[in-house]
Amino acid sequence: MSFLKHLSLRLCTVALAVVGLAAHADTWPSKPVRIIVPFAPGGTTDILARAIAPELTKAFGQSFFVENKAGAGGNMGAEVVSKSAGDGYTLLMGTVGTHGINRALYDKLPYDPIKDFIPITLVAGVPNVMVVNADKAKERNINNVADFIAYAKAHPGQLNMASSGNGTSIHLAGELFKSMSGTFMVHFPYKGSGPALLDLMGGSTDVMFDNLPSAMPLIKSGKLKALAVTSAQRSGALPDLPTIEQAGGPTLKGYEASSWFGLLAPAGTPMDVVNRIQQEVTKSLNTPAIKEKLLAQGAIPGGNTSAEFAKFIDAEHKKWAQVVKASGAKVD
């Protein structure tokens, strides 16, 4: 085969592939789209996914449904999406854990958080909140962060710290607190905030640094006692609640460990599809109903572009690598 004939065939193949992708983007979505939540139902990741799924269903005229695949600090669900076809029919509600923390925390990940995904948009950022079992707090006379630290130091290893899984911001927020405050608590990882909160309310665990949206109803009902938020500033949803830095004194100066959640697609997903999803998510986040709902739960709506979200994720990798190192946390 001559060089010119070979080159002509290669160009035809590329052209057909481009036409195929364009045709796919034009007809997408022609079937239901699943949004993988890598944690159990009831947590903030699940809450946010179920908030935007109906909006996308209305916008595109096809069902967007949530599927929970919990385990390994979000890694199992992220792996499923990383190995899915880049056709726009499988998306991930990623988190600061799956795409910011886990790379530094785990020796081996079953996916590459950068190469295996295309960021779509940041859905929301949220502070975490330090919550304790209300009845136990009353029995132990724990009214604030200083009381908690004093009790923990007087009872080393006797307090259990729940989290939504190894590598989550909930886990790392607690590890950073332990490291900076000089306290020791036994970590119990769950497959999501939902089951962890149930055990915290039941009294089998003592403290959790949960995402604010999932903890908010239990704080308002009095089932959990909030001690402080983990962000650098107070939350507008709980303006009277101090930050951990404010409440913890000099030993906790500079403490910050907030969370974020965003949509991602498998590598290879056509950018036309990515941009269409981003535009509709951003539009829904700006509607008064969704915006007010998220703000009331302590979440700050996102909506940035794919490129902006990619830069944000890169910065988060660098930030959390330092936090992981400082905390000494590690998961095999």
Side-chain angles (χ1 to χ4, degrees):
M1 184 183 294
S2 70
F3 171 76
L4 288 176
K5 189 173 182 181
H6 177 74
L7 179 61
S8 177
L9 285 172
R10 289 291 300 273
L11 290 173
C12 285
T13 301
V14 171
L16 287 171
V18 171
V19 169
L21 285 173
H24 172 82
D26 287 341
T27 59
W28 180 92
S30 59
K31 61 181 181 179
V33 178
R34 64 175 180 164
I35 301 174
I36 299 292
V37 168
F39 297 99
T44 299
T45 319
D46 188 66
I47 290 170
L48 291 173
R50 293 182 191 278
I52 64 167
E55 302 300 314
L56 292 173
T57 296
K58 286 189 286 186
F60 291 109
Q62 277 287 351
S63 175
F64 281 69
F65 65 96
V66 173
E67 186 175 325
N68 298 87
K69 287 192 176 292
N75 291 342
M76 286 179 63
E79 181 185 11
V80 168
V81 178
S82 73
K83 290 177 169 53
S84 297
D87 55 11
Y89 292 100
T90 301
L91 308 176
L92 174 72
M93 182 60 83
T95 71
V96 64
T98 62
H99 282 76
I101 296 171
N102 289 1
R103 197 182 212 184
L105 189 68
Y106 287 81
D107 288 333
K108 291 182 181 179
L109 279 183
Y111 62 92
D112 188 309
I114 302 297
K115 295 178 181 178
D116 292 342
F117 296 88
I118 297 177
I120 299 175
T121 189
L122 178 72
V123 174
V126 304
N128 290 4
V129 59
M130 183 180 181
V131 286
V132 293
N133 178 287
D135 291 334
K136 283 188 172 183
K138 189 175 181 180
E139 290 171 11
R140 296 165 174 172
N141 199 28
I142 295 174
N143 298 301
N144 51 46
V145 172
D147 289 343
F148 182 90
I149 292 173
Y151 187 90
K153 286 185 173 181
H155 301 82
Q158 294 182 32
L159 296 181
N160 297 328
M161 180 183 79
S163 84
S164 55
N166 286 316
T168 61
S169 71
I170 296 169
H171 171 206
L172 261 290
E175 292 294 341
L176 187 60
F177 180 89
K178 286 161 62 177
S179 174
M180 293 180 70
S181 65
T183 56
F184 175 70
M185 296 169 277
V186 181
H187 175 223
F188 281 83
Y190 289 76
K191 291 186 176 181
S193 282
L197 287 168
L198 284 175
D199 273 5
L200 183 61
M201 285 189 294
S204 56
T205 59
D206 301 287
V207 63
M208 187 173 174
F209 294 78
D210 192 35
N211 303 140
L212 186 51
S214 47
M216 182 71 83
L218 303 175
I219 295 169
K220 288 188 172 180
S221 69
K223 293 178 181 176
L224 294 180
K225 181 178 179 61
L227 300 182
V229 290
T230 66
S231 48
Q233 291 84 33
R234 295 190 183 209
S235 169
L238 293 171
D240 295 331
L241 196 65
T243 67
I244 284 181
E245 180 181 33
Q246 291 170 339
T251 59
L252 287 166
K253 184 174 176 57
Y255 180 99
E256 182 186 3
S258 296
S259 302
W260 55 261
F261 307 83
L263 275 181
L264 301 103
T269 303
M271 284 308 298
D272 281 355
V273 172
V274 169
N275 291 334
R276 286 173 65 191
I277 297 171
Q278 184 272 332
Q279 289 163 8
E280 292 301 333
V281 170
T282 301
K283 194 184 298 182
S284 69
L285 291 174
N286 284 320
T287 59
I290 298 293
K291 193 171 186 178
E292 289 171 13
K293 181 180 179 181
L294 294 184
L295 288 172
Q297 293 175 330
I300 301 169
N304 55 4
T305 66
S306 175
E308 290 167 342
F309 191 24
K311 287 182 181 179
F312 175 80
I313 289 173
D314 183 60
E316 285 291 285
H317 277 298
K318 293 171 183 174
K319 168 191 169 180
W320 284 100
Q322 294 175 346
V323 173
V324 169
K325 185 178 180 181
S327 71
K330 205 68 182 171
V331 178
D332 294 328

